[in-house]
Amino acid sequence: MNATSVELNIFQKYFNSILEKLWNRFVKLNRIISFYTYLCLKYRIPPKELYNSTLHQHTLTLKKNSINLEENDASILKKIGLPARKWSSVDSFVKAVSREVKSAQNTRTILNFVELIVLRNLLKGQNVRIGASTFTKLLKLHQELLEEKSI
C-alpha cells in the first residue's frame, strides 16, 4: 500500500487521537486497562507479551526483546503494576485490551488491535504486507475520516 503524505497525515492524526483517548480514559476515569492498551499501541507490544513482561527501571523485558519506555510511562507502570498482577489469565487480559481498543475508536470502521499495529507500522514508514480485509478497512476508515473532516 503506497500512501501519499495527505493520507498518512490523516491516519497519523487518527492514530494519535486513539492514543490520546486511551491516555485520557486512564487519567480521567482511572481505567488501568486504558494505560496498558496505550502502552501496547505506543510501543507495539503484543498484549500477551506485556502480560508476561518484567520491568527494571525504564526497561520492559518481553519474551523476545526489551523496550526502553519513556520515563513517565515506566513510572506509571511501576506504580500500577504489571497486568499479570491484575488479570487472572493472559486470555482475559487480551480480551480486555481488544475491548478497550474498540471503545477508543468512534468511527464506523473499528480497527482491531492488530490492524492498529499495522497502521502504526505504515505510519513509521515500515514495509507491511496486509490482507484484503485490512486494506478494505483502511480504505473505509480513510473515507470516514475524510467525511468527518469535510463536515
Side-chain angles (χ1 to χ4, degrees):
M1 176 178 172
N2 284 340
T4 67
S5 62
V6 173
E7 278 105 9
L8 290 178
N9 191 26
I10 290 170
F11 282 138
Q12 186 69 59
K13 285 180 182 175
Y14 179 72
F15 188 82
N16 290 345
S17 75
I18 292 170
L19 288 180
E20 186 178 331
K21 285 176 193 168
L22 289 168
W23 179 258
N24 288 334
R25 287 168 67 90
F26 168 66
V27 171
K28 294 177 181 172
L29 304 175
N30 198 26
R31 287 182 56 86
I32 293 173
I33 188 63
S34 296
F35 180 73
Y36 292 138
T37 306
Y38 167 84
L39 283 182
C40 288
L41 289 175
K42 182 176 179 181
Y43 295 100
R44 205 180 79 207
I45 304 169
K48 285 182 182 181
E49 289 196 29
L50 179 61
Y51 185 86
N52 293 312
S53 65
T54 57
L55 181 66
H56 182 68
Q57 294 180 349
H58 295 96
T59 304
L60 187 66
T61 305
L62 308 170
K63 189 176 183 180
K64 296 180 182 177
N65 61 351
S66 296
I67 296 174
N68 288 324
L69 302 178
E70 291 178 10
E71 188 175 339
N72 188 43
D73 294 339
S75 65
I76 291 171
L77 184 58
K78 190 173 288 187
K79 182 180 175 185
I80 64 174
L82 292 163
R85 291 179 40 203
K86 310 265 183 214
W87 272 264
S88 60
S89 72
V90 175
D91 290 338
S92 64
F93 178 67
V94 170
K95 287 177 186 173
V97 167
S98 179
R99 282 190 305 271
E100 195 63 16
V101 157
K102 289 178 181 173
S103 67
Q105 300 175 75
N106 59 358
T107 60
R108 292 182 300 276
T109 304
I110 297 175
L111 303 179
N112 64 32
F113 178 81
V114 172
E115 291 162 342
L116 283 171
I117 292 297
V118 165
L119 179 58
R120 181 191 181 279
N121 290 344
L122 286 170
L123 293 170
K124 295 282 183 189
Q126 298 172 349
N127 252 349
V128 180
R129 293 180 61 123
I130 58 175
S133 66
T134 301
F135 182 75
T136 303
K137 275 189 172 182
L138 288 174
L139 286 177
K140 282 178 64 180
L141 175 61
H142 184 260
Q143 187 62 41
E144 288 173 30
L145 295 173
L146 284 176
E147 288 172 8
E148 285 178 16
K149 192 176 178 182
S150 65
I151 293 175

